[in-house]
Amino acid sequence: MRTRKGRERVQFSLSLGKNMKFLILVTLFGLSLAQHNPQLKSGRTAIVHLFEWRWADIAAECERFLGPNGFGGVQISPPNEHIIVSSPWRPWWQRYQPISYNLCSRSGSEAELRDMITRCNNVGVNIYVDAVINHMCGSGGGEGTHSSCGSWFSASKKDFPSVPYSSLDFNDNKCKTGSGEIENYNDPYQVRDCRLVGLLDLALEKEYVRGKVADFMNKLIDMGVAGFRVDASKHMWPGDVDTIYRRLNNLNTKWFPSGARPFIFQEVIDLGGEAISYTDYVHLGRVTEFKYGAKLGKVFRKWDEEKLFYTRTWGEGWSFMSDGNAVVFVDNHDNQRGHGAGGSSIITFWDSRLYKMAVGYMLAHPYGVTRVMSSYRWNRNFVNGKDQNDWMGPPSNTNGSTKSVSVNPDQTCGDGWVCEHRWRQITNMVIFRNVVNGQPQINWWDNQSNQVAFGRGDRGFIVFNNDDWTLNVTLNTGMSGGTYCDVISGQKEGNTCTGKQILVSHDGNAHFKISNLDEDPFVAIHAESKI
Ligand code: QV4
Ligand code: CA
């Protein structure tokens, strides 16, 4: 059965000459390929997710820390108007229930958002917006003005006057399940046209709805954002979001080259075995590779007989999506608290020793665009293995407003903010990734167990000891002779090392001795840590 689109395609190809068609295909293909480009400023490679941070704090962090330390970009929490939930009290996930596209939220006002985007761009740090465009609030969201800009809405009537959306703009007549919710993830029609956990599902095939979504995203592009993390992408038809992405403006030439396309990375949880696969979306932009964190967690925890030396083929060799399509991370805001996918193998800041190794490995390895999680603590309360407090929002004042991020004299964060991105081992590995950018992985060594090492061209070298005994070996680093500071146990300050020193001989060999009892049983050196 030829679809409407298929008929158009036949007419289209008959009416155009070969070279004209070729030109258009290159343009279209080139267009979508460009959406795989994170548009990072030169020499910068990593994104940090400043989950639930206020705009004013992000702006300050860009200027005082992220810019100077070579971070490439920040993923921010959804900036548009969201529901305000009282039970449970102000959960983090209220921001995944839009009420409108007005730009006032738990993180601040439109003016504060604009100021933050400008200040971060001015120091070379891109802003990527978490775009929630599949749905509005939950069907049980009630009626009234319990919203972050005070807009009135009615969930039961599917009435959102501040957009405006009416009941005509939702999918209910298309969803065929009794509950109106997704009941079977092996039915692509349910996954796209029914409600995800009761969230009112937008009819994205409608020109009117597409227009509202594109206007929302274009306003942010014109303000200077570099792209989007597209929430719940699995729940939107590729053809619908393709149409919307094609309507997006080029990036603001105040900070980006003329013709630069917004970076698109789509949240599609695909651990295999479902009807919908990441392959449905990779032509539109990059996709979050959830297998990455799930597998890396098993490897560093040594579960399921996994061993670190098996990662010699890490990346596409582990049947992850191709490098050019992947955004990778050790944990994310969902699976660090048992939401979404990955299960108990996911390593988070709560397991800090393992976490530093896993994040270090991710940042040292060439695969994918890397995203570092930056979290807040909450008082977990496990009952029968489930955290009853997985809903808890960010550090807040008694009036429900989010606390500002305080920075301690030792550069760590206070008031419940974890700031993993400020942990020396992680900051220094972000810098390592920048220094070795573009260099191939070479000089792999392993002990057939959990001790491995590899280089990145002649620009960097890293050694891990995840066995229960000392690593004691001389390895070819591929680097020029000299004394290097280990950037895990310390760093180069002036012309001295605050941590371990590694002496590389003229032939590139160096001796490494790493006790399995070390707090951080790994060592990393790079061209810019040489004294
Ligand atoms: C409840 C019932 C429903 C009922 C509904 C009525 O479960 O059956 O119909 O009330 O309103 C919250 C509550 C959830 C509640 C829902 C709607 O937890 O119990 O439904 O609100 O009221 C986050 C949280 C969800 C949260 C949601 C909206 O994880 O718990 O739901 O925000 O506030 C799949 C998807 C993937 C998704 C992942 C979590 O394929 O895309 O699940 N991940 C993204 C985000 C995630 C977010 C959403 C999607 C939704 O990363 O943070 O869910 O925007 O794998
Ligand atoms: Ca949908």
Side-chain angles (χ1 to χ4, degrees), residues 134 171 191-194 201-202 235-236:
N134 169 66
N171 271 332
V191 177
R192 271 71 178 261
D193 295 337
C194 295
D201 206 53
L202 284 167
H235 304 278
M236 300 184 281

Short mmCIF file of all heavy atoms in Angstrom, two decimals, residues 134 171 191-194 201-202 235-236, ligand 2:
data_model
loop_
_atom_site.label_atom_id
_atom_site.label_comp_id
_atom_site.label_asym_id
_atom_site.label_seq_id
_atom_site.Cartn_x
_atom_site.Cartn_y
_atom_site.Cartn_z
N ASN A 134 6.46 16.48 23.01
CA ASN A 134 5.54 15.37 22.71
C ASN A 134 4.19 15.52 23.39
O ASN A 134 3.19 14.95 22.94
CB ASN A 134 6.20 14.04 23.16
CG ASN A 134 5.24 12.87 23.14
OD1 ASN A 134 4.79 12.46 22.05
ND2 ASN A 134 4.87 12.37 24.31
N ASN A 171 -4.09 13.71 20.69
CA ASN A 171 -4.18 12.46 19.92
C ASN A 171 -5.30 11.51 20.33
O ASN A 171 -5.38 10.41 19.81
CB ASN A 171 -2.86 11.69 20.06
CG ASN A 171 -1.89 12.10 18.98
OD1 ASN A 171 -2.32 12.52 17.90
ND2 ASN A 171 -0.61 12.01 19.27
N VAL A 191 2.82 3.60 20.99
CA VAL A 191 3.96 4.33 21.57
C VAL A 191 3.96 5.77 21.11
O VAL A 191 4.30 6.68 21.85
CB VAL A 191 5.28 3.63 21.20
CG1 VAL A 191 6.47 4.42 21.72
CG2 VAL A 191 5.31 2.21 21.78
N ARG A 192 3.50 5.99 19.89
CA ARG A 192 3.49 7.36 19.33
C ARG A 192 2.18 8.08 19.60
O ARG A 192 2.18 9.29 19.81
CB ARG A 192 3.74 7.31 17.81
CG ARG A 192 5.21 7.36 17.35
CD ARG A 192 5.96 6.07 17.66
NE ARG A 192 7.33 6.07 17.21
CZ ARG A 192 7.75 5.50 16.09
NH1 ARG A 192 6.85 4.89 15.31
NH2 ARG A 192 9.03 5.54 15.72
N ASP A 193 1.05 7.37 19.56
CA ASP A 193 -0.23 8.08 19.57
C ASP A 193 -0.98 7.99 20.89
O ASP A 193 -2.04 8.62 21.04
CB ASP A 193 -1.14 7.51 18.46
CG ASP A 193 -0.57 7.78 17.08
OD1 ASP A 193 0.23 8.73 16.95
OD2 ASP A 193 -0.90 7.02 16.14
N CYS A 194 -0.45 7.24 21.86
CA CYS A 194 -1.12 7.16 23.16
C CYS A 194 -0.31 7.93 24.21
O CYS A 194 0.78 8.41 23.94
CB CYS A 194 -1.31 5.70 23.56
SG CYS A 194 -2.43 4.81 22.44
N ASP A 201 -1.14 13.76 24.95
CA ASP A 201 -0.27 13.54 23.80
C ASP A 201 -0.65 14.45 22.65
O ASP A 201 -1.78 14.41 22.16
CB ASP A 201 -0.40 12.06 23.36
CG ASP A 201 0.85 11.59 22.64
OD1 ASP A 201 1.93 11.76 23.22
OD2 ASP A 201 0.73 11.12 21.50
N LEU A 202 0.29 15.28 22.22
CA LEU A 202 0.01 16.27 21.18
C LEU A 202 -0.10 15.63 19.80
O LEU A 202 0.63 14.68 19.48
CB LEU A 202 1.12 17.34 21.16
CG LEU A 202 1.04 18.37 22.29
CD1 LEU A 202 2.33 19.18 22.37
CD2 LEU A 202 -0.17 19.30 22.10
N HIS A 235 8.32 8.70 21.25
CA HIS A 235 6.86 8.82 21.29
C HIS A 235 6.31 9.76 20.23
O HIS A 235 5.15 10.12 20.25
CB HIS A 235 6.43 9.24 22.70
CG HIS A 235 6.95 8.29 23.72
ND1 HIS A 235 6.33 7.09 24.01
CD2 HIS A 235 8.08 8.30 24.45
CE1 HIS A 235 7.04 6.42 24.90
NE2 HIS A 235 8.12 7.13 25.19
N MET A 236 7.21 10.16 19.31
CA MET A 236 6.78 11.04 18.23
C MET A 236 7.14 10.39 16.89
O MET A 236 8.21 9.76 16.78
CB MET A 236 7.47 12.41 18.37
CG MET A 236 7.14 13.10 19.69
SD MET A 236 7.84 14.75 19.85
CE MET A 236 9.52 14.35 20.30
CA CA B 2 3.18 11.08 21.10
#
